[in-house]
Amino acid sequence: MSHAFYLDVDRCTGCSACAVACMDQNDLEIGPEPTAWRQVFGVETGAGSTARIRYVSLACMHCADAPCLIACPAGALRRDSGTGAVVVASELCIGCHSCSMACPFGVPRFGKDGIMQKCDLCSVRLEYGLEPACVRVCPTKALRQGDPNELGLETERKAAERLAAGS
Amino acid sequence: MDKLQRMIKGKIPGEATGIEVRKSVCTICDPSGICGLDCYVKDGRVVKVEGTLESPNNAGTLCSKGAAQRQWIYHEDRLRAPLKRIGPRGSGAMVPISWTEALDTVVQNLARLKAESGPESVVFFCGYPKQPRPFLQRLAFEFGSPNYCTESSACFTAMAMSWRLDYGQLAGPDMANTKLVLVWASNPFYANTPNARRMMDARDRGVKFIVVDPRLSPMAGIADLHLRLRPGTDGALALAMANVIISEELYDRQFVAEWTLGFDEFRAYAAEFDLDRVERITGVPAEQIQEAARLYATTKPAALMTSSTPVVHHTNGVQNQRACAALAGLTGNYDVPGGNVPQTFSWLEVSGAGFTTREHEFAMPRPWSDMPPRLGATRFPVWTEMIDQGQAMDLPRQIATGDPYPLRGLMAFGLNHRMWPDSKGFLAVADKLDFVCVTDLFLTDTARHADIVLPACTSVERSELRCYPQKYVILTQPVIEPLGEARSDTDIIIGLVQKLGLRDPLLNPADSVDGPGRGFLKNGAPDMGAVFEDALDWILEPSGMMVSELKKHPAGMPVPNAAPPAFKRYETKGFPTPSGKMEFTSKVLEKHSDVPGHVALPVYAEPKLSGVSTPEVAEKFPLVLNTGSRLPMFIHSRTFRLPWPRSLRRQATADINPATALRLGIDQGNHIELSTPQGSIEVLANLTELAHPETVHMFHDYPEADVNALLAGDYLDPISGFPGYRASLCAVKNVGQSTPAPTTPNAGGGKEAS
């Protein structure tokens, strides 16, 4: 089974519990720079009575055809054999930022040591049957993790319910 | 990295890694339902936290504050020993002293003040957490002081009072069985977050939401109908809705005829609030008010969700909240399944937990009539009649004037002076006190003014009893040793009872044999765990539960033989009001009609400061100032110093609507001066549609930008004494961009810095 994050944007309210749970799980030292592995954005559209605010929580997408993995000249990025997550071997990273340029989501972060760091999907937790920290903490259950086909089916079922209710 | 190293790094619990998951609760915030906390402990240290799956409240989840628990527990600023002040008050010049010296100093001073000025000259205050409250009130009363007061002088109590003036009881929404929720200015997505999940689940079940809120909060964002009113005009909106419901004959005629008092006066008064007038007052389009009234009155059952502070943090707060609450009875939604269900408290203001305790008897070992009048007795007579605490908002006045008697001592557990409007003025008068002792986790800006500071411990270092409306109860055990010499608040209070030699068969038993948890440690620190447990057994006696049984269930347990829900109890017992009915015209308020603002009908009045009531002030200060709007990562003063939540909103920042900002020439991240007639602060501007167009939302308690210092000390609701935090007047102006704008997105709305 492959693993993926799924965000139900209709349930995300920008509380950022996921970002902090990630910091706690990974002992992240957060200084003045935005080095958190998970970031939450408030996206505003319209104005006044038509204004709408939506929230999106983002971290590494663990792409199947990961551009960072191809771009890395040092072989520091690899796919975890068990979970399929894209993980970084920090001892191999040379801090060249090629992954940053390749990543369409702006995920790679660089701490004081200049070495790339990012979400590893809590691969170890997954191996032991535990959810990623960000998924476990989410107060509205907006953030989920699992097989992308299973997650898709669940969303599809909800869409079917809406279609049936509207008919 | 080998397998074991990976497991340790990933914090996988088990024998191999030596990581054990131990159960506690999070009390960084302290609403009626706190979250179960799983602590991953290795070698006596918490290495990770997550929400307790078994907890019916948070079901495995946490918020951005609770998830930062480790920075709270292990913060370098944690007090590890008692301190004695050696410099001027506020200087922060303190030296560590022994527990023996600290407690002896406290006891000598309390005894001296009692002898010189009477026990009432000492004030006992409890902020967060709420856990020690019944113990502190018992200490105060046994000492002989009626001046026990809490953080609830600015939170929750006025809301409960308003319901009690109408119905005799607070009634909460029956979320599980309702078809529509009228959410009146509540946003569980930022505070009390376990309710966020329930809101989303209710929406998925097809429950409709009408949300009344000046902000485009996440709650308002999922509403079927959002009434975006000007802050402080809730009463006018509620009366307009009542007028629609009455004039269109959508009200419950039978309930109103049989079970209410003063309906004719109420109908006549509500008729003054026609839709056009109320559109002008509130800014909510007339057709939206009408639609909301019809939807709420015709969807059965419908529940009304009120919140602890937003409606009552106004200078007409209680009356506004009464008008809202009256809608439940008017539409026949009171004490019915899916409507609003009267609440009876089990323990620490948690209702519906399905058991009763002797908390009241424990906390109040003697009647009020035995003691001199308490804080606020003359100024807030309805509070005094209804609430078993002093009104702490009267503290600065009585210290300053000595009227009706001098106050000289303050024993505080978790005191934050920024809870008071004119917060700096509070400190100035508090500095006149003869003796101040503060117990806290940190040497806070308030604790710097104390003579003695005692080190408290966090929830994970202590034992406490908590319960939940889901008929669930937990008695936690410490998951780690207290840091340094820190002790639990209840250890300290029981220690004081004993050192003061107070006669107390429970906390200071005459035949007590010293042993673990029944005395003082070698360093003089109180160690009263066993006494605490004996007291809990006494308190829990009517519930049939025992400490010994609760301790067998570290993650908590369902309440055995929980009382099943009952409805329409008033049909047999009447309402617990003076008339025995729901009172559109309050007999309690009528009795005190000689006091300004005390009117039997839930009358509407403009905020004391507004464009309507004080146009001359509004000329210079044209915007509404709201200092109470919540943010998801902060709770009052408590998480500013934690780097993780602080990284989500790094600088003191005011939320301003983009259209308003454009008009004032303010851009994202600009430095602005926020001023009121009392003074000004400099903060950054965050432009967001979350903000009400006429309002500046500035989060309170920032040490570097204390917005509550910009309010007058007497800007209070005359009935409850609650401060009018949510609507006063201010001006903002651009003062340039002298430092870089925030580089991180602001959760809770807001655009990227430009």
Side-chain angles (χ1 to χ4, degrees):
Chain A
M1 166 174 132
S2 60
H3 292 268
F5 285 122
Y6 176 82
L7 178 74
D8 183 343
V9 177
D10 282 344
R11 287 179 90 96
C12 181
T13 60
C15 77
S16 302
C18 49
V20 178
C22 174
M23 297 170 190
D24 181 51
Q25 171 68 37
N26 296 298
D27 299 323
L28 300 190
E29 276 185 41
I30 304 293
E33 292 173 25
T35 54
W37 295 359
R38 183 168 276 286
Q39 300 280 345
V40 181
F41 297 86
V43 182
E44 305 194 354
T45 52
S49 59
T50 64
R52 189 157 186 217
I53 309 176
R54 309 196 81 181
Y55 302 92
V56 180
S57 167
L58 279 179
C60 178
M61 297 291 195
H62 301 283
C63 309
D65 183 10
C68 62
L69 211 147
I70 298 158
C72 180
L77 285 155
R78 63 176 179 82
R79 191 168 299 285
D80 184 84
S81 55
T83 60
V86 176
V87 296
V88 56
S90 54
E91 69 277 11
L92 296 178
C93 174
I94 58 172
C96 71
H97 310 158
S98 297
C99 50
S100 282
M101 288 181 264
C103 176
F105 297 100
V107 161
R109 287 294 186 274
F110 301 86
K112 281 183 212 150
D113 58 3
I115 298 302
M116 196 272 255
Q117 44 175 285
K118 70 168 194 69
C119 161
D120 68 352
L121 202 68
C122 283
S123 288
V124 192
R125 280 175 62 85
L126 288 176
E127 282 167 31
Y128 289 89
L130 301 166
E131 290 174 309
C134 56
V135 172
R136 169 67 177 265
V137 82
C138 180
T140 60
K141 296 287 160 205
L143 201 54
R144 297 204 296 273
Q145 169 280 321
D147 180 87
N149 290 324
E150 294 289 335
L151 292 167
L153 188 67
E154 207 175 310
T155 310
E156 224 169 5
R157 185 173 293 120
K158 279 194 176 176
E161 283 168 12
R162 279 200 303 275
L163 285 170
S167 64
Chain B
M1 213 187 303
D2 71 14
K3 191 180 164 199
L4 182 61
Q5 273 179 311
R6 275 190 83 225
M7 285 174 72
I8 291 171
K9 190 158 179 286
K11 304 172 183 176
I12 305 303
E15 271 179 37
T17 57
I19 296 171
E20 189 189 338
V21 178
R22 297 184 191 160
K23 307 289 180 179
S24 187
V25 290
C26 170
T27 64
I28 290 179
C29 86
D30 206 334
S32 55
I34 57 170
C35 293
L37 188 74
D38 280 7
C39 296
Y40 286 54
V41 180
K42 182 172 168 62
D43 303 327
R45 213 177 147 84
V46 180
V47 296
K48 171 189 165 58
V49 297
E50 58 193 16
T52 301
L53 273 176
E54 302 92 312
S55 167
N57 190 40
N58 55 313
T61 70
L62 289 174
C63 71
S64 54
K65 304 166 283 269
Q69 200 78 216
R70 283 200 294 146
Q71 295 193 324
W72 175 249
I73 303 168
Y74 296 114
H75 198 284
E76 60 182 3
D77 295 348
R78 273 287 303 276
L79 295 175
R80 285 167 165 79
L83 301 175
K84 178 172 79 175
R85 184 169 59 82
I86 52 166
R89 284 208 164 133
S91 66
M94 302 258 174
V95 289
I97 54 171
S98 71
W99 267 102
T100 305
E101 183 185 347
L103 290 182
D104 285 351
T105 307
V106 171
V107 166
Q108 281 159 17
N109 278 285
L110 294 192
R112 178 177 58 82
L113 294 175
K114 188 177 189 171
E116 290 172 5
S117 306
E120 66 275 17
S121 67
V122 180
V123 176
F124 295 80
F125 179 89
C126 190
Y128 269 10
K130 293 176 180 166
Q131 182 251 358
R133 286 189 180 184
F135 290 84
L136 185 65
Q137 186 163 22
R138 186 174 174 93
L139 165 62
F141 278 33
E142 285 173 348
F143 182 75
S145 176
N147 291 318
Y148 163 75
C149 50
T150 73
E151 156 273 351
S152 296
S153 288
C155 186
F156 175 74
T157 323
M159 186 268 282
M161 256 175 94
S162 308
W163 281 88
R164 284 174 62 192
L165 286 165
D166 285 2
Y167 301 93
Q169 269 178 308
L170 169 63
D174 179 8
M175 287 291 298
N177 299 303
T178 197
K179 292 210 172 100
L180 178 143
V181 191
L182 173 54
V183 182
W184 207 293
S186 182
N187 175 29
F189 298 97
Y190 287 180
N192 215 344
T193 36
N195 281 332
R197 190 179 82 251
R198 297 187 186 107
M199 289 295 189
M200 288 295 187
D201 292 347
R203 185 187 62 166
D204 286 354
R205 288 198 308 271
V207 172
K208 298 267 182 249
F209 288 101
I210 303 170
V211 176
V212 179
D213 200 315
R215 289 200 299 178
L216 181 52
S217 68
M219 185 70 239
I222 66 163
D224 297 279
L225 187 56
H226 175 202
L227 310 184
R228 198 169 194 184
L229 78 177
R230 172 167 63 93
T233 61
D234 308 79
L237 181 64
L239 288 162
M241 287 176 67
N243 186 35
V244 171
I245 291 166
I246 296 167
S247 57
E248 297 188 6
E249 305 264 343
L250 302 175
Y251 65 101
D252 187 327
R253 289 178 152 271
Q254 192 191 349
F255 176 84
V256 165
E258 287 177 29
W259 291 107
T260 68
L261 178 78
F263 177 67
D264 290 341
E265 290 113 296
F266 180 72
R267 172 165 54 192
Y269 182 65
E272 296 174 22
F273 290 82
D274 60 84
L275 290 171
D276 290 341
R277 180 186 170 205
V278 174
E279 177 176 325
R280 284 195 302 278
I281 295 173
T282 61
V284 181
E287 59 272 22
Q288 281 189 10
I289 304 172
Q290 190 174 41
E291 188 188 347
R294 287 173 178 168
L295 200 57
Y296 175 66
T298 57
T299 310
K300 303 284 182 191
L304 170 61
M305 183 179 216
T306 50
S307 182
S308 286
T309 51
V311 178
V312 288
H313 272 171
H314 287 292
T315 52
N316 192 52
V318 165
Q319 295 289 38
N320 286 354
Q321 185 75 82
R322 281 187 65 214
C324 304
L327 296 173
L330 187 67
T331 52
N333 281 307
Y334 189 86
D335 209 0
V336 296
N340 282 70
V341 183
Q343 308 195 337
T344 42
F345 296 132
S346 295
W347 172 245
L348 298 180
E349 294 178 337
V350 172
S351 65
F355 64 96
T356 50
T357 64
R358 293 202 279 199
E359 178 183 359
H360 188 261
E361 193 183 339
F362 177 82
M364 298 181 60
R366 61 201 288 186
W368 288 111
S369 54
D370 259 15
M371 297 176 284
R374 72 192 107 141
L375 272 168
T378 309
R379 197 170 167 199
F380 306 111
V382 174
W383 171 287
T384 307
E385 184 170 330
M386 302 183 89
I387 309 298
D388 282 325
Q389 299 181 11
Q391 178 30 300
M393 286 297 142
D394 202 35
L395 187 54
R397 187 205 60 81
Q398 188 168 339
I399 297 171
T401 63
D403 171 33
Y405 52 81
L407 296 175
R408 299 184 58 200
L410 177 58
M411 275 302 300
F413 291 76
L415 178 69
N416 171 19
H417 70 278
R418 298 189 177 99
M419 186 184 104
W420 278 263
D422 183 23
S423 47
K424 285 181 185 154
F426 175 90
L427 278 185
V429 291
D431 281 350
K432 293 182 181 156
L433 290 166
D434 198 281
F435 177 74
V436 178
C437 173
V438 169
T439 299
D440 212 313
L441 295 169
F442 304 105
L443 186 61
T444 62
D445 288 351
T446 317
R448 293 161 81 91
H449 291 254
D451 301 291
I452 297 285
V453 181
L454 302 177
C457 58
T458 67
S459 57
V460 305
E461 300 154 70
R462 67 175 180 243
S463 166
E464 66 190 281
L465 178 72
R466 295 284 185 160
C467 61
Y468 298 91
Q470 295 84 8
K471 315 218 183 302
Y472 200 79
V473 60
I474 184 169
L475 176 66
T476 64
Q477 297 300 309
V479 303
I480 55 167
E481 289 292 316
L483 261 65
E485 296 180 13
R487 303 304 299 171
S488 84
D489 304 274
T490 46
D491 272 344
I492 297 168
I493 293 165
I494 296 168
L496 286 171
V497 168
Q498 297 195 358
K499 286 230 167 192
L500 283 161
L502 300 175
R503 274 203 297 192
D504 184 329
L506 283 170
L507 304 184
N508 190 15
D511 54 354
S512 172
V513 180
D514 275 3
R518 296 191 186 278
F520 297 84
L521 301 173
K522 276 192 183 132
N523 64 5
D527 174 37
M528 300 291 175
V531 181
F532 172 69
E533 288 182 359
D534 287 350
L536 284 185
D537 267 336
W538 186 90
I539 292 166
L540 282 168
E541 200 267 340
S543 75
M545 292 186 287
M546 300 274 290
V547 165
S548 55
E549 177 66 19
L550 288 163
K551 282 169 106 170
K552 290 179 195 160
H553 305 271
M557 64 179 210
V559 172
N561 310 312
F567 298 98
K568 291 201 176 181
R569 279 160 289 193
Y570 59 83
E571 286 184 344
T572 48
K573 293 180 171 177
F575 285 83
T577 53
S579 65
K581 293 182 169 183
M582 176 206 163
E583 299 188 350
F584 285 111
T585 50
S586 162
K587 289 266 183 203
V588 174
L589 282 166
E590 195 177 282
K591 189 168 67 185
H592 298 287
S593 58
D594 53 322
V595 186
H598 290 54
V599 180
L601 277 167
V603 294
Y604 173 69
E606 273 285 318
K608 268 201 258 176
L609 284 171
S610 86
V612 179
S613 51
T614 54
E616 70 288 359
V617 181
E619 209 171 299
K620 278 182 76 180
F621 302 96
L623 295 168
V624 177
L625 173 63
N626 184 331
T627 76
S629 300
R630 299 298 170 91
L631 292 170
M633 70 295 282
F634 301 134
I635 175 78
H636 308 312
S637 62
R638 285 164 78 87
T639 56
F640 288 139
R641 72 178 80 223
L642 313 187
W644 290 338
R646 192 68 197 244
S647 73
L648 303 171
R649 189 161 168 133
R650 293 172 190 272
Q651 283 149 300
T653 304
D655 285 346
I656 305 175
N657 190 281
T660 311
L662 182 68
R663 188 159 50 77
L664 298 169
I666 293 168
D667 208 346
Q668 176 68 19
N670 281 171
H671 281 245
I672 54 169
E673 183 189 74
L674 194 170
S675 57
T676 73
Q678 272 67 41
S680 66
I681 54 173
E682 194 179 310
V683 296
L684 297 186
N686 182 46
L687 275 48
T688 171
E689 292 287 346
L690 186 86
H692 181 266
E694 291 169 51
T695 306
V696 176
H697 301 270
M698 179 62 217
F699 191 82
H700 54 286
D701 286 354
Y702 278 101
E704 69 274 31
D706 178 5
V707 70
N708 284 346
L710 306 186
L711 300 174
D714 63 353
Y715 198 64
L716 307 175
D717 175 57
I719 301 172
S720 68
F722 270 39
Y725 290 139
R726 311 285 176 130
S728 60
L729 287 173
C730 74
V732 290
K733 71 170 182 195
N734 196 339
V735 291
Q737 191 160 1
S738 50
T739 61
T743 52
T744 49
N746 284 316
K751 294 181 168 69
E752 195 69 64
S754 57

